[in-house]
Amino acid sequence: CKSFPEALLFQLLGLSIATLSTVTHYGLHFTLISNVSLESNAYRVIHHSAFYFGICLSMTLILAALLSSAATVRESQCLTAMGFFCFALAFCGLIPAACWRYTHSTEVEDSMMDVYDFMYEEVRRNTSSFRRHELTAIHEAFLCCGKHSPFGDTTNVENKTCPPGQVHDEGRDCLQEIRDFLKKHMDFVFSLLGIAIGFTVYGMILTSFLWFSIHFSSNLYRKGKYILR
């Protein structure tokens, strides 16, 4: 039946969203920032919320695809309606997520850079080995070296925390590297959200068509049957 390739596409889309959510949550760059962020910083909340939203969305899409396939095989209007409900639920979650991404385009970026600024100033003001170790890990993950500071006394910090072989004058600014890295990642997330919205709309249309097809074919099947008395 034609709906099976579509169901496979929806399952692949759900798996893609789950994979992206897992990479975002457990990826080295994101976990380093999340582990050192303060409670007052919004990044940790965004970090966890994005993961749970992505997992729920992927499960909803996969469930919708399975229900649509089962509805096609069994010609069940109930299963078709449940599949439509799952697609509609995913759509209602995707639209606010896309709007949030559009209206809060710099919130994640600003929160990540605030975390780095806090870490950097902590190391600059004191000699805490724990903070210095965390800042070194961030420098190694983002392959950057310090930041441009108006204080002009950052060379000592960068000599202790930058990856070996990087010179202060030639090292890449970490704030710029964080911004560039996150921009690429968020562009990919936004593209996947757009694809998911298009597929959920297509899924709602497909399940609606399937429901009406089953309904009318069932009525046609009963037509012409008479009971002779």
Side-chain angles (χ1 to χ4, degrees):
C1 183
K2 187 181 177 181
S3 66
F4 288 112
E6 282 86 350
L8 181 59
L9 287 175
F10 285 118
Q11 292 180 37
L12 290 175
L13 179 62
L15 290 174
S16 300
I17 294 173
T19 302
L20 180 62
S21 302
T22 304
V23 169
T24 302
H25 190 261
Y26 294 105
L28 177 62
H29 299 81
F30 298 101
T31 52
L32 281 173
I33 299 296
S34 179
N35 291 337
V36 299
S37 63
L38 299 177
E39 294 294 334
S40 58
N41 191 286
Y43 177 75
R44 187 174 295 181
V45 175
I46 297 172
H47 185 235
H48 291 293
S49 299
F51 172 71
Y52 293 121
F53 172 79
I55 294 299
C56 291
L57 177 62
S58 65
M59 292 175 63
T60 303
L61 288 174
I62 292 173
L63 179 61
L66 294 175
L67 288 172
S68 299
S69 298
T72 305
V73 173
R74 302 183 63 178
E75 296 187 357
S76 170
Q77 289 179 270
C78 179
L79 292 176
T80 306
M82 291 172 64
F84 177 86
F85 174 77
C86 288
F87 281 122
L89 186 64
F91 181 78
C92 291
L94 284 166
I95 293 300
C99 292
W100 186 92
R101 169 67 182 90
Y102 181 76
T103 56
H104 299 75
S105 59
T106 61
E107 186 169 338
V108 181
E109 176 183 305
D110 292 342
S111 62
M112 285 187 75
M113 291 192 292
D114 286 344
V115 172
Y116 180 81
D117 271 331
F118 169 77
M119 291 290 302
Y120 192 93
E121 295 304 319
E122 280 287 301
V123 175
R124 189 181 66 83
R125 285 195 297 264
N126 57 62
T127 57
S128 172
S129 59
F130 179 69
R131 291 298 187 190
R132 189 165 62 246
H133 174 74
E134 291 176 335
L135 187 62
T136 301
I138 293 175
H139 285 165
E140 291 175 350
F142 286 93
L143 298 177
C144 58
C145 183
K147 66 172 185 175
H148 298 296
S149 173
F151 296 103
D153 57 349
T154 59
T155 306
N156 187 43
V157 175
E158 289 153 0
N159 286 338
K160 293 179 179 179
T161 59
C162 286
Q166 285 214 24
V167 184
H168 168 60
D169 293 333
E170 298 178 357
R172 291 180 290 183
D173 182 83
C174 279
L175 294 178
Q176 185 62 44
E177 287 299 313
I178 291 173
R179 183 185 292 110
D180 293 342
F181 169 81
L182 194 59
K183 184 179 183 303
K184 293 177 182 177
H185 186 80
M186 294 303 289
D187 286 344
F188 184 74
V189 170
F190 193 66
S191 299
L192 191 59
L193 281 176
I195 294 171
I197 289 173
F199 269 86
T200 51
V201 172
Y202 175 69
M204 287 190 290
I205 296 172
L206 187 66
T207 49
S208 299
F209 177 78
L210 181 60
W211 188 90
F212 282 110
S213 297
I214 295 172
H215 177 73
F216 287 119
S217 65
S218 178
N219 288 342
L220 288 173
Y221 179 73
R222 286 195 295 267
K223 277 186 178 180
K225 289 192 173 182
Y226 304 97
I227 300 175
L228 299 176
R229 294 183 179 178

